Amino acid sequence: MGPHPAVAAIRLAVRRVLHDILTEHTPAPGTARLPAPGAALMPALDTGRAVASDSGRAVAPDAGRAQVPHAGRTAVPGSERVPAPASRRTSSDASVDAPHEQPSKPLVLVACSGGADSMALASALAFEAPKLGIRAGGITVDHGLQPGSDLRADEVVLRLTELGLAPAESIAVTVGRDGGPEAAARDARYAALDAAAERHGAVAILLGHTRDDQAETVLLGLARGSGIRSLSGMAAVSGGPGAARRYRRPFLHLDRQTARKACMAQSLPVWDDPHNADPAYTRSRLRHEGLPALEKALGKGVVEALARTAQLSRDDADALDAWARQAEASVRDASGLLECAKLYALPPAVRRRILRRAAIEAGAPAGSLFARHIEEIDRLITGWRGQGAINLPGKVVAQRQGGRLVIRQG
Protein backbone atom coordinates (compact mmCIF):
# COMPACT_ATOMS: atom_id res chain seq x y z
CA MET A 1 0.00 0.00 0.00
CA GLY A 2 1.43 3.34 -1.03
CA PRO A 3 1.56 6.57 0.96
CA HIS A 4 -1.45 8.81 1.49
CA PRO A 5 -2.23 10.79 -1.72
CA ALA A 6 -1.31 14.07 -0.03
CA VAL A 7 2.01 12.63 1.15
CA ALA A 8 2.71 11.29 -2.34
CA ALA A 9 1.94 14.72 -3.83
CA ILE A 10 4.32 16.64 -1.60
CA ARG A 11 7.09 14.09 -2.07
CA LEU A 12 6.74 14.21 -5.84
CA ALA A 13 6.91 18.01 -5.80
CA VAL A 14 10.08 17.97 -3.71
CA ARG A 15 11.64 15.17 -5.76
CA ARG A 16 11.26 17.21 -8.94
CA VAL A 17 12.92 20.24 -7.38
CA LEU A 18 15.79 18.15 -5.98
CA HIS A 19 16.38 16.65 -9.42
CA ASP A 20 16.64 20.18 -10.82
CA ILE A 21 19.12 21.14 -8.10
CA LEU A 22 21.23 18.06 -8.76
CA THR A 23 21.30 18.81 -12.46
CA GLU A 24 22.48 22.36 -11.81
CA HIS A 25 25.13 21.48 -9.24
CA THR A 26 26.56 18.22 -10.56
CA PRO A 27 29.81 18.95 -12.43
CA ALA A 28 30.16 17.70 -15.98
CA PRO A 29 32.35 14.60 -16.46
CA GLY A 30 36.02 15.46 -16.23
CA THR A 31 35.53 18.73 -14.37
CA ALA A 32 36.33 19.49 -10.75
CA ARG A 33 33.54 20.21 -8.28
CA LEU A 34 33.42 23.87 -7.34
CA PRO A 35 33.45 24.79 -3.63
CA ALA A 36 29.98 25.18 -2.18
CA PRO A 37 28.74 28.75 -1.67
CA GLY A 38 30.08 30.14 1.58
CA ALA A 39 32.68 27.39 1.93
CA ALA A 40 35.40 29.98 2.42
CA LEU A 41 33.65 31.10 5.59
CA MET A 42 33.65 27.68 7.23
CA PRO A 43 37.20 27.50 8.60
CA ALA A 44 36.58 30.63 10.65
CA LEU A 45 33.56 29.24 12.49
CA ASP A 46 33.88 28.53 16.19
CA THR A 47 31.41 25.77 16.95
CA GLY A 48 30.21 23.93 19.98
CA ARG A 49 28.52 20.57 20.57
CA ALA A 50 24.88 20.00 21.46
CA VAL A 51 23.92 17.48 24.10
CA ALA A 52 22.39 14.30 22.64
CA SER A 53 20.13 11.69 24.18
CA ASP A 54 20.58 7.92 23.94
CA SER A 55 18.56 7.99 20.72
CA GLY A 56 20.99 10.44 19.17
CA ARG A 57 18.49 13.32 19.08
CA ALA A 58 19.51 16.75 20.28
CA VAL A 59 17.80 17.57 23.58
CA ALA A 60 19.62 20.62 24.91
CA PRO A 61 17.02 23.46 24.99
CA ASP A 62 19.37 25.90 23.26
CA ALA A 63 20.84 23.43 20.79
CA GLY A 64 20.67 24.67 17.28
CA ARG A 65 19.93 28.33 18.09
CA ALA A 66 22.01 30.99 16.46
CA GLN A 67 21.83 34.74 17.00
CA VAL A 68 21.99 37.26 14.18
CA PRO A 69 23.25 40.49 15.80
CA HIS A 70 22.32 43.92 14.50
CA ALA A 71 23.90 47.33 14.66
CA GLY A 72 20.55 48.78 15.64
CA ARG A 73 16.83 48.23 15.34
CA THR A 74 16.56 50.55 12.34
CA ALA A 75 19.24 48.74 10.35
CA VAL A 76 18.28 46.19 7.71
CA PRO A 77 17.34 43.15 9.82
CA GLY A 78 19.70 40.23 9.66
CA SER A 79 22.11 42.10 7.41
CA GLU A 80 25.21 41.41 9.50
CA ARG A 81 26.42 37.92 8.68
CA VAL A 82 28.69 36.77 11.45
CA PRO A 83 29.36 33.31 12.91
CA ALA A 84 26.92 32.28 15.61
CA PRO A 85 28.16 31.94 19.21
CA ALA A 86 29.46 28.46 19.97
CA SER A 87 26.76 27.72 22.57
CA ARG A 88 23.99 28.39 20.05
CA ARG A 89 25.05 26.05 17.23
CA THR A 90 24.25 22.45 16.44
CA SER A 91 26.76 19.63 16.23
CA SER A 92 25.31 18.38 12.96
CA ASP A 93 27.35 20.47 10.55
CA ALA A 94 30.08 17.95 9.86
CA SER A 95 31.83 20.23 7.40
CA VAL A 96 32.91 22.49 10.26
CA ASP A 97 34.83 19.65 11.89
CA ALA A 98 36.88 19.15 8.74
CA PRO A 99 37.22 22.65 7.30
CA HIS A 100 39.64 21.60 4.57
CA GLU A 101 37.40 18.84 3.21
CA GLN A 102 34.64 19.81 0.80
CA PRO A 103 31.52 17.65 1.27
CA SER A 104 30.84 15.42 -1.72
CA LYS A 105 27.07 15.83 -1.40
CA PRO A 106 25.24 19.13 -1.93
CA LEU A 107 23.31 20.53 1.03
CA VAL A 108 19.71 21.69 0.71
CA LEU A 109 18.01 23.51 3.59
CA VAL A 110 14.31 23.89 4.32
CA ALA A 111 12.96 27.06 5.95
CA CYS A 112 10.51 25.82 8.56
CA SER A 113 8.23 27.85 10.81
CA GLY A 114 6.58 24.78 12.32
CA GLY A 115 3.35 25.40 10.40
CA ALA A 116 1.66 22.77 8.25
CA ASP A 117 3.11 23.97 4.94
CA SER A 118 6.73 24.03 6.04
CA MET A 119 6.50 20.89 8.18
CA ALA A 120 5.10 18.99 5.21
CA LEU A 121 7.97 20.34 3.13
CA ALA A 122 10.54 19.34 5.76
CA SER A 123 9.16 15.81 5.95
CA ALA A 124 9.24 15.43 2.16
CA LEU A 125 12.80 16.74 1.97
CA ALA A 126 13.93 14.35 4.73
CA PHE A 127 12.37 11.45 2.81
CA GLU A 128 13.56 12.29 -0.70
CA ALA A 129 17.02 13.82 -0.20
CA PRO A 130 18.89 10.70 1.03
CA LYS A 131 17.62 8.69 -1.96
CA LEU A 132 19.20 11.24 -4.31
CA GLY A 133 22.48 11.60 -2.43
CA ILE A 134 21.63 15.06 -1.09
CA ARG A 135 22.27 16.28 2.45
CA ALA A 136 19.20 17.90 4.00
CA GLY A 137 19.01 20.43 6.83
CA GLY A 138 16.48 22.79 8.34
CA ILE A 139 16.39 26.39 9.56
CA THR A 140 13.72 28.13 11.62
CA VAL A 141 13.73 31.88 12.20
CA ASP A 142 12.71 33.31 15.56
CA HIS A 143 11.32 36.78 14.87
CA GLY A 144 10.87 37.50 18.57
CA LEU A 145 7.42 39.00 17.95
CA GLN A 146 5.49 36.78 20.36
CA PRO A 147 6.05 35.71 23.96
CA GLY A 148 7.78 32.35 24.09
CA SER A 149 8.91 32.51 20.46
CA ASP A 150 12.35 31.21 21.45
CA LEU A 151 10.80 28.10 23.03
CA ARG A 152 8.66 27.58 19.95
CA ALA A 153 11.77 27.79 17.78
CA ASP A 154 13.51 25.19 19.95
CA GLU A 155 10.54 22.86 19.47
CA VAL A 156 10.78 23.26 15.70
CA VAL A 157 14.50 22.45 15.81
CA LEU A 158 13.73 19.28 17.75
CA ARG A 159 11.12 18.25 15.18
CA LEU A 160 13.54 18.86 12.34
CA THR A 161 16.16 16.79 14.14
CA GLU A 162 13.66 13.97 14.65
CA LEU A 163 13.02 13.98 10.91
CA GLY A 164 16.74 13.40 10.41
CA LEU A 165 17.63 16.85 9.11
CA ALA A 166 21.14 18.06 9.84
CA PRO A 167 22.10 20.79 10.39
CA ALA A 168 18.97 21.86 12.23
CA GLU A 169 19.05 25.25 13.92
CA SER A 170 17.08 28.36 14.70
CA ILE A 171 18.20 31.92 14.14
CA ALA A 172 16.96 34.80 16.27
CA VAL A 173 16.53 38.11 14.44
CA THR A 174 15.51 41.64 15.32
CA VAL A 175 12.61 42.88 13.20
CA GLY A 176 12.78 46.53 12.20
CA ARG A 177 9.95 48.83 11.14
CA ASP A 178 10.71 49.74 7.54
CA GLY A 179 7.81 49.03 5.19
CA GLY A 180 5.43 47.90 7.93
CA PRO A 181 5.47 44.85 10.23
CA GLU A 182 4.91 42.22 7.53
CA ALA A 183 7.58 43.56 5.17
CA ALA A 184 10.06 44.11 8.01
CA ALA A 185 9.61 40.54 9.28
CA ARG A 186 10.05 39.20 5.74
CA ASP A 187 13.26 41.21 5.25
CA ALA A 188 14.67 39.94 8.55
CA ARG A 189 13.72 36.35 7.71
CA TYR A 190 15.35 36.33 4.27
CA ALA A 191 18.48 38.02 5.58
CA ALA A 192 18.79 35.27 8.20
CA LEU A 193 18.19 32.53 5.63
CA ASP A 194 20.77 34.03 3.26
CA ALA A 195 23.28 34.12 6.09
CA ALA A 196 22.53 30.48 6.99
CA ALA A 197 22.98 29.38 3.38
CA GLU A 198 26.37 31.09 3.22
CA ARG A 199 27.45 29.74 6.59
CA HIS A 200 26.59 26.13 5.80
CA GLY A 201 27.46 26.21 2.11
CA ALA A 202 23.91 25.26 1.08
CA VAL A 203 23.12 25.17 -2.63
CA ALA A 204 19.41 25.87 -2.13
CA ILE A 205 16.72 26.71 0.42
CA LEU A 206 13.21 25.28 0.05
CA LEU A 207 10.22 27.45 0.98
CA GLY A 208 6.73 26.16 1.74
CA HIS A 209 4.62 28.71 -0.15
CA THR A 210 1.50 27.10 -1.61
CA ARG A 211 -0.93 27.91 -4.41
CA ASP A 212 -3.09 29.71 -1.83
CA ASP A 213 -0.16 31.95 -0.88
CA GLN A 214 0.36 32.67 -4.57
CA ALA A 215 -3.27 33.71 -5.02
CA GLU A 216 -3.03 36.04 -2.02
CA THR A 217 0.15 37.60 -3.42
CA VAL A 218 -1.52 38.28 -6.78
CA LEU A 219 -4.51 39.95 -5.10
CA LEU A 220 -2.23 42.11 -2.93
CA GLY A 221 -0.37 43.25 -6.04
CA LEU A 222 -3.68 43.99 -7.77
CA ALA A 223 -4.90 46.04 -4.80
CA ARG A 224 -1.73 48.16 -4.93
CA GLY A 225 -2.31 48.93 -8.59
CA SER A 226 1.05 47.36 -9.41
CA GLY A 227 2.25 46.31 -12.83
CA ILE A 228 2.39 42.90 -14.42
CA ARG A 229 5.57 41.93 -12.57
CA SER A 230 3.78 42.28 -9.24
CA LEU A 231 0.81 40.31 -10.56
CA SER A 232 3.19 37.47 -11.44
CA GLY A 233 3.41 36.61 -7.76
CA MET A 234 6.21 34.48 -6.37
CA ALA A 235 8.65 32.73 -8.66
CA ALA A 236 9.19 28.99 -8.35
CA VAL A 237 12.91 29.82 -8.36
CA SER A 238 14.35 33.08 -7.06
CA GLY A 239 17.66 34.37 -5.80
CA GLY A 240 19.54 35.71 -2.83
CA PRO A 241 22.73 37.80 -2.65
CA GLY A 242 25.22 36.23 -5.05
CA ALA A 243 22.94 33.23 -5.68
CA ALA A 244 20.43 33.74 -8.47
CA ARG A 245 18.62 30.42 -7.88
CA ARG A 246 18.89 29.96 -4.12
CA TYR A 247 15.19 29.83 -3.20
CA ARG A 248 12.89 27.06 -4.47
CA ARG A 249 9.14 26.82 -3.94
CA PRO A 250 8.05 23.23 -4.67
CA PHE A 251 4.43 23.69 -3.49
CA LEU A 252 3.25 26.57 -5.70
CA HIS A 253 1.00 24.16 -7.60
CA LEU A 254 -0.35 22.48 -4.42
CA ASP A 255 -3.07 23.90 -2.20
CA ARG A 256 -2.73 24.55 1.50
CA GLN A 257 -5.07 21.69 2.41
CA THR A 258 -2.80 19.14 0.72
CA ALA A 259 0.08 20.16 2.96
CA ARG A 260 -2.09 19.97 6.07
CA LYS A 261 -3.46 16.55 5.09
CA ALA A 262 0.10 15.32 4.55
CA CYS A 263 1.01 16.36 8.09
CA MET A 264 -2.07 14.63 9.52
CA ALA A 265 -1.33 11.44 7.57
CA GLN A 266 2.20 11.37 8.98
CA SER A 267 1.15 12.42 12.51
CA LEU A 268 3.38 15.49 12.28
CA PRO A 269 2.62 18.09 14.95
CA VAL A 270 2.10 21.55 13.47
CA TRP A 271 1.89 25.05 14.90
CA ASP A 272 -0.73 27.56 13.75
CA ASP A 273 0.79 31.01 14.00
CA PRO A 274 -1.77 33.32 15.64
CA HIS A 275 -0.52 36.16 13.42
CA ASN A 276 -2.01 34.29 10.45
CA ALA A 277 -5.47 34.84 11.93
CA ASP A 278 -4.87 38.38 13.23
CA PRO A 279 -7.02 40.90 11.29
CA ALA A 280 -4.39 43.56 11.99
CA TYR A 281 -2.36 42.05 9.14
CA THR A 282 -3.42 42.67 5.53
CA ARG A 283 -2.66 39.17 4.31
CA SER A 284 -4.61 37.67 7.20
CA ARG A 285 -7.69 39.74 6.32
CA LEU A 286 -7.37 38.73 2.70
CA ARG A 287 -7.04 35.06 3.64
CA HIS A 288 -9.99 34.88 6.01
CA GLU A 289 -12.30 37.52 4.57
CA GLY A 290 -11.30 38.57 1.05
CA LEU A 291 -10.76 35.23 -0.70
CA PRO A 292 -13.81 33.55 0.88
CA ALA A 293 -15.93 36.51 -0.27
CA LEU A 294 -14.57 36.18 -3.82
CA GLU A 295 -15.29 32.46 -3.87
CA LYS A 296 -18.80 33.08 -2.59
CA ALA A 297 -19.42 35.66 -5.33
CA LEU A 298 -17.60 33.97 -8.21
CA GLY A 299 -17.68 30.31 -7.28
CA LYS A 300 -14.93 27.82 -6.56
CA GLY A 301 -11.74 27.96 -8.55
CA VAL A 302 -10.72 31.53 -7.74
CA VAL A 303 -7.45 30.43 -6.12
CA GLU A 304 -6.52 28.23 -9.07
CA ALA A 305 -7.38 31.03 -11.53
CA LEU A 306 -5.27 33.57 -9.65
CA ALA A 307 -2.32 31.18 -9.51
CA ARG A 308 -2.66 30.59 -13.25
CA THR A 309 -2.77 34.37 -13.78
CA ALA A 310 0.49 34.64 -11.85
CA GLN A 311 2.24 32.21 -14.19
CA LEU A 312 0.90 33.86 -17.35
CA SER A 313 1.86 37.29 -16.01
CA ARG A 314 5.35 36.06 -15.17
CA ASP A 315 5.86 34.74 -18.70
CA ASP A 316 4.76 38.08 -20.17
CA ALA A 317 6.86 40.10 -17.72
CA ASP A 318 9.96 38.02 -18.48
CA ALA A 319 9.48 38.59 -22.22
CA LEU A 320 9.02 42.35 -21.76
CA ASP A 321 12.06 42.57 -19.49
CA ALA A 322 14.16 40.80 -22.12
CA TRP A 323 12.86 43.16 -24.81
CA ALA A 324 13.70 46.20 -22.65
CA ARG A 325 17.25 44.97 -22.03
CA GLN A 326 17.82 44.54 -25.75
CA ALA A 327 16.26 47.90 -26.63
CA GLU A 328 18.10 49.94 -24.02
CA ALA A 329 21.38 50.15 -25.93
CA SER A 330 19.59 51.48 -29.00
CA VAL A 331 18.07 54.46 -27.16
CA ARG A 332 21.30 55.76 -25.64
CA ASP A 333 23.62 58.24 -27.35
CA ALA A 334 27.40 57.97 -27.56
CA SER A 335 27.79 59.38 -24.03
CA GLY A 336 25.28 56.91 -22.58
CA LEU A 337 22.38 59.35 -22.09
CA LEU A 338 18.85 58.28 -22.94
CA GLU A 339 17.45 59.94 -26.07
CA CYS A 340 13.84 61.05 -25.57
CA ALA A 341 12.80 60.74 -29.22
CA LYS A 342 13.96 57.14 -29.41
CA LEU A 343 12.33 56.32 -26.08
CA TYR A 344 9.06 57.84 -27.33
CA ALA A 345 9.04 55.41 -30.25
CA LEU A 346 9.09 52.36 -27.98
CA PRO A 347 5.95 50.65 -26.63
CA PRO A 348 5.07 52.10 -23.17
CA ALA A 349 5.64 48.79 -21.36
CA VAL A 350 9.17 48.53 -22.78
CA ARG A 351 9.98 52.23 -22.30
CA ARG A 352 8.90 52.26 -18.65
CA ARG A 353 11.04 49.23 -17.90
CA ILE A 354 14.05 51.08 -19.28
CA LEU A 355 13.19 54.12 -17.17
CA ARG A 356 12.80 52.06 -14.02
CA ARG A 357 16.11 50.31 -14.63
CA ALA A 358 17.86 53.66 -15.20
CA ALA A 359 16.41 55.10 -11.98
CA ILE A 360 17.59 52.09 -9.96
CA GLU A 361 21.07 52.28 -11.51
CA ALA A 362 21.19 55.95 -10.47
CA GLY A 363 20.56 54.97 -6.84
CA ALA A 364 16.79 54.87 -6.36
CA PRO A 365 15.87 51.95 -4.03
CA ALA A 366 13.88 49.40 -6.03
CA GLY A 367 11.50 48.77 -3.12
CA SER A 368 10.61 52.46 -2.87
CA LEU A 369 10.22 53.09 -6.60
CA PHE A 370 6.51 52.86 -7.44
CA ALA A 371 4.47 53.04 -10.62
CA ARG A 372 3.61 56.70 -9.99
CA HIS A 373 7.31 57.59 -9.99
CA ILE A 374 7.87 55.91 -13.34
CA GLU A 375 4.74 57.57 -14.77
CA GLU A 376 6.13 60.99 -13.78
CA ILE A 377 9.42 60.27 -15.54
CA ASP A 378 7.53 58.95 -18.55
CA ARG A 379 5.69 62.27 -18.88
CA LEU A 380 9.03 63.96 -19.44
CA ILE A 381 9.07 61.99 -22.68
CA THR A 382 5.44 61.69 -23.72
CA GLY A 383 3.98 64.89 -22.26
CA TRP A 384 6.87 67.34 -22.40
CA ARG A 385 5.76 70.92 -21.64
CA GLY A 386 8.95 72.27 -20.12
CA GLN A 387 8.23 70.87 -16.67
CA GLY A 388 10.94 70.75 -14.03
CA ALA A 389 12.90 67.88 -12.54
CA ILE A 390 11.24 64.86 -10.96
CA ASN A 391 12.39 63.96 -7.44
CA LEU A 392 12.68 60.20 -6.87
CA PRO A 393 13.43 58.05 -3.80
CA GLY A 394 17.09 57.82 -2.84
CA LYS A 395 17.69 61.51 -3.65
CA VAL A 396 17.64 60.72 -7.36
CA VAL A 397 16.52 63.39 -9.83
CA ALA A 398 15.20 62.88 -13.37
CA GLN A 399 15.07 65.79 -15.82
CA ARG A 400 14.97 66.46 -19.54
CA GLN A 401 17.87 68.41 -21.02
CA GLY A 402 18.38 69.08 -24.71
CA GLY A 403 16.33 66.12 -25.86
CA ARG A 404 18.09 63.79 -23.43
CA LEU A 405 16.75 62.24 -20.24
CA VAL A 406 19.21 62.70 -17.38
CA ILE A 407 18.71 60.59 -14.24
CA ARG A 408 21.28 61.08 -11.49
CA GLN A 409 21.83 61.73 -7.81
CA GLY A 410 20.49 65.19 -6.98
Side-chain angles (χ1 to χ4, degrees):
M1 183 176 178
H4 186 280
V7 176
I10 65 170
R11 288 178 179 175
L12 177 59
V14 169
R15 189 184 316 141
R16 287 171 172 166
V17 168
L18 294 182
H19 273 296
D20 291 342
I21 293 171
L22 273 181
T23 300
E24 295 169 16
H25 293 278
T26 299
T31 60
R33 179 182 293 273
L34 295 175
L41 302 176
M42 293 181 183
L45 294 178
D46 179 19
T47 62
R49 288 296 190 189
V51 179
S53 67
D54 292 339
S55 63
R57 297 173 181 170
V59 296
D62 288 338
R65 289 187 58 77
Q67 300 290 333
V68 177
H70 309 282
R73 295 188 64 86
T74 57
V76 177
S79 59
E80 296 188 22
R81 302 180 181 182
V82 300
S87 62
R88 312 298 274 180
R89 294 290 310 281
T90 66
S91 62
S92 51
D93 191 356
S95 59
V96 177
D97 296 320
H100 301 295
E101 297 179 10
Q102 294 300 329
S104 58
K105 299 179 180 180
L107 171 65
V108 174
L109 299 173
V110 58
C112 185
S113 66
D117 302 342
S118 58
M119 281 303 300
L121 182 59
S123 70
L125 176 63
F127 182 83
E128 294 291 341
K131 298 193 296 183
L132 296 174
I134 293 175
R135 293 184 298 138
I139 303 292
T140 188
V141 177
D142 174 14
H143 299 84
L145 298 177
Q146 302 174 31
S149 64
D150 55 338
L151 299 178
R152 172 64 59 185
D154 288 336
E155 290 178 11
V156 175
V157 170
L158 183 58
R159 292 174 189 171
L160 295 176
T161 304
E162 289 173 342
L163 287 172
L165 298 179
E169 70 176 31
S170 70
I171 305 174
V173 298
T174 299
V175 176
R177 299 180 179 179
D178 292 345
E182 292 169 281
R186 182 174 60 250
D187 290 344
R189 180 166 59 255
Y190 277 101
L193 293 174
D194 284 330
E198 296 292 336
R199 185 168 64 250
H200 292 295
V203 299
I205 298 178
L206 305 188
L207 303 175
H209 297 120
T210 65
R211 186 170 61 194
D212 300 79
D213 296 308
Q214 185 74 299
E216 293 162 7
T217 302
V218 172
L219 282 176
L220 288 171
L222 185 63
R224 289 192 296 266
S226 303
I228 194 171
R229 175 57 69 185
S230 181
L231 296 183
S232 66
M234 296 174 285
V237 180
S238 59
R245 299 176 63 82
R246 170 171 289 162
Y247 292 103
R248 314 291 175 119
R249 297 176 174 87
F251 290 174
L252 284 184
H253 66 288
L254 299 176
D255 61 30
R256 193 172 286 140
Q257 275 303 111
T258 298
R260 186 167 290 275
K261 288 177 182 177
C263 290
M264 293 175 63
Q266 299 174 96
S267 299
L268 291 175
V270 298
W271 173 61
D272 292 315
D273 187 346
H275 281 174
N276 290 336
D278 188 343
Y281 296 97
T282 304
R283 186 177 286 268
S284 175
R285 294 195 301 273
L286 180 60
R287 180 174 301 177
H288 298 286
E289 300 173 24
L291 270 173
L294 282 176
E295 290 194 335
K296 182 178 180 180
L298 303 176
K300 295 293 183 180
V302 170
V303 169
E304 292 87 342
L306 288 169
R308 187 164 58 251
T309 296
Q311 185 56 58
L312 294 172
S313 298
R314 181 167 298 280
D315 292 343
D316 291 348
D318 288 345
L320 287 168
D321 286 347
W323 186 354
R325 285 193 297 270
Q326 293 171 359
E328 184 172 355
S330 68
V331 297
R332 291 187 181 273
D333 63 15
S335 63
L337 293 178
L338 293 167
E339 298 187 63
C340 294
K342 292 181 178 179
L343 283 168
Y344 184 86
L346 291 174
V350 176
R351 180 175 63 244
R352 289 172 181 171
R353 278 168 166 75
I354 294 175
L355 298 180
R356 176 178 173 81
R357 184 184 179 95
I360 292 172
E361 289 177 349
S368 302
L369 199 60
F370 303 131
R372 58 185 173 82
H373 296 125
I374 306 304
E375 289 168 1
E376 287 296 318
I377 305 174
D378 198 37
R379 274 193 278 271
L380 294 176
I381 299 164
T382 62
W384 175 243
R385 301 182 307 277
Q387 59 263 46
I390 306 297
N391 293 315
L392 302 172
K395 299 182 179 179
V396 172
V397 173
Q399 59 188 133
R400 180 165 172 157
Q401 295 179 341
R404 303 293 191 270
L405 185 67
V406 180
I407 304 178
R408 62 170 182 264
Q409 286 285 330

